[in-house]
Amino acid sequence: MVQIIDTPALARLLAHIGIETFLSELAERIENDYARWPQFEKMPRVPFHSQDGVIELMPIADSEWFSVKLVNGHPANPAKGLQTVTAVGILADVATGYPRLVCEMTVLTALRTAATSAVAARHLANPGATTLAMIGTGAQGEFQALAFKRCLGIRAIRFYDTDVAAMVKFAANLRTASLQLIRCASVAEAIAGADIITTATAVRGARAVLTDSMVGPGVHVNAIGGDCPGKTEIDPRLLSRARIVVEYLAQTRCEGEIQSLGARAPALELWEIIVGCSQGRSGRQQITLFDSVGFALEDYSTLRYVYDKARALGIGHAVPLIPQPRDPKDLFGYIRELAERAAV
Ligand SMILES: NC(=O)c1ccc[n+]([C@@H]2O[C@H](COP(=O)([O-])OP(=O)(O)OC[C@H]3O[C@@H](n4cnc5c(N)ncnc54)[C@H](O)[C@@H]3O)[C@@H](O)[C@H]2O)c1
């Protein structure tokens, strides 16, 4: 039987666990899996680009589990009443190759992206950070806010979006989150005095949502919106001043902010910082930047976390998605018998 976690089942899981606990437990899982980086068989995701966006496959495996996510990015979708990002994930047992979990991953992508942002910021931001600036308050926004609150102790959020309705939604959703919410009229106003800046805009093309002169010393930038070839949101001059950390260089070189610095731009991988073989921040004045595009390892951690939790709590549906013939070689007889039974 294959466990199915659809959107209502995920909602039950979140209700049981609590969204902030979910984010912090998931952050632990992601950090632990990054710490065993060499054990994973990795590859850059496989993208299929069209003029409207991209559809990608994100596979990864260790010796026990294989996971893959199907995800899209379509910046013009909200104008059609559709989401920019949607996703579905599969977790399979390496020993037999059998799928064990088929899972909604649209909400889970927002949760894992926020948890990963928090893991990186814990290693890169100055200790004692209390104020986050959110640039772009679309689908990812609230998840980012709650992950930074829970995992880093952020208490105030200065936020700006070009779409006023997105800011109203963001503030309404977080009204009971015990966060000080400061709505701003521009990017420059939002980042004034912030310890950490998250950029989560979804515009195609090379933009400079954050320009060089806007960002002062000591700030940590969590850049999650630039995640495709030709789609960036940070001024290259700001990148040149920052210590840059990425998830997986082989993927980020062509998809992340660093694509605008050329093939030899210096950057570290997150796992190196986590295990301590490279230094993250070297002083309070340094600008650090997490150039996040989203990596398959984060989906692997998420699928395994959800699988464990859902089974422990008895949430989800076990579905005969894979045939179970008595004789494994008699697939024909198995489906004929089922068809005959269905016909009567
Ligand atoms: N790094 C990752 O792992 C990861 C994961 C998920 C999504 N993403 C990316 O993050 C981005 C945001 O995703 P989303 O699902 O929240 O998209 P979304 O469309 O729901 O929200 C994006 C928001 O950015 C706003 N915006 C656009 N230009 C702006 C500007 N110049 N200043 C301020 N706000 C601006 C839009 O009005 C919108 O509200 C997308 O580019 C997506 O591809 C990255």
Side-chain angles (χ1 to χ4, degrees):
M1 290 296 221
V2 177
Q3 189 81 2
I4 306 281
I5 301 291
D6 55 15
T7 311
L10 179 66
R12 282 184 61 212
L13 200 61
L14 282 170
H16 263 84
I17 298 170
I19 189 161
E20 291 188 28
T21 302
F22 189 108
L23 281 162
S24 70
E25 290 182 354
L26 183 55
E28 291 308 315
R29 288 280 189 125
I30 289 170
E31 179 153 353
N32 290 340
D33 284 334
Y34 266 107
R36 56 188 193 89
W37 182 258
Q39 295 173 17
F40 287 94
E41 195 175 325
K42 304 171 275 288
M43 64 184 292
R45 60 185 156 208
V46 185
F48 294 82
H49 293 279
S50 68
Q51 63 176 38
D52 299 312
V54 62
I55 300 175
E56 301 167 320
L57 277 178
M58 300 177 68
I60 193 165
D62 64 5
S63 59
E64 280 185 72
W65 294 99
F66 166 91
S67 78
V68 63
K69 181 170 84 173
L70 177 74
V71 61
N72 75 293
H74 284 65
N77 268 3
K80 303 175 197 161
L82 302 171
Q83 298 164 97
T84 301
V85 177
T86 66
V88 177
I90 300 176
L91 185 66
D93 172 16
V94 167
T96 59
Y98 271 40
R100 296 290 180 213
L101 174 69
V102 174
C103 193
E104 102 74 50
M105 281 209 86
T106 306
V107 177
L108 286 173
T109 293
L111 286 158
R112 74 83 153 120
T113 302
T116 306
S117 293
V119 169
R122 270 201 304 232
H123 287 274
L124 294 170
N126 270 317
T130 56
T131 305
L132 171 73
M134 274 297 311
I135 311 303
T137 56
Q140 310 302 313
E142 296 86 343
F143 300 93
Q144 289 279 323
L146 294 177
F148 278 90
K149 175 193 167 203
R150 178 63 176 249
C151 301
L152 280 103
I154 287 295
R155 292 197 294 273
I157 306 216
R158 305 176 63 81
F159 61 100
Y160 171 69
D161 195 295
T162 45
D163 175 10
V164 171
M167 289 198 282
V168 171
K169 172 237 33 163
F170 179 79
N173 281 339
L174 293 176
R175 68 189 179 284
T176 57
S178 304
L179 282 163
Q180 188 192 357
L181 299 171
I182 305 140
R183 182 169 145 176
C184 299
S186 66
V187 174
E189 186 186 333
I191 68 174
D195 305 299
I196 300 173
I197 303 168
T198 287
T199 51
T201 65
V203 184
R204 298 198 87 180
R207 308 289 158 126
V209 176
L210 274 190
T211 59
D212 185 30
S213 57
M214 283 177 175
V215 178
V219 169
H220 172 63
V221 179
N222 175 48
I224 68 165
D227 58 357
C228 266
K231 175 168 167 263
T232 55
E233 54 183 6
I234 309 290
D235 183 344
R237 286 167 301 175
L238 173 56
L239 295 177
S240 302
R241 286 165 61 212
R243 190 178 200 81
I244 299 172
V245 175
V246 306
E247 288 141 321
Y248 179 42
L249 262 173
Q251 182 177 302
T252 310
R253 283 246 184 258
C254 54
E255 295 184 350
E257 297 297 333
I258 55 169
Q259 63 185 282
S260 55
L261 294 184
R264 296 225 181 101
L268 300 164
E269 288 183 327
L270 181 57
W271 73 274
E272 300 175 69
I273 312 291
I274 288 172
V275 303
C277 65
S278 292
Q279 187 181 20
R281 169 173 290 281
S282 64
R284 283 200 72 83
Q285 298 297 304
Q286 186 166 53
I287 296 173
T288 51
L289 188 142
F290 181 44
D291 182 2
S292 169
V293 296
F295 183 51
L297 177 61
E298 298 143 23
D299 303 315
Y300 168 100
S301 308
T302 305
L303 287 166
R304 287 206 54 198
Y305 173 73
V306 167
Y307 188 55
D308 291 349
K309 286 285 176 185
R311 279 167 27 122
L313 293 165
I315 290 175
H317 328 275
V319 171
L321 198 60
I322 304 294
Q324 291 176 295
R326 276 183 300 276
D327 172 0
K329 295 185 182 176
D330 190 11
L331 188 60
F332 187 87
Y334 167 80
I335 199 63
R336 186 180 55 192
E337 197 181 314
L338 282 191
E340 282 166 4
R341 265 193 259 148
V344 289

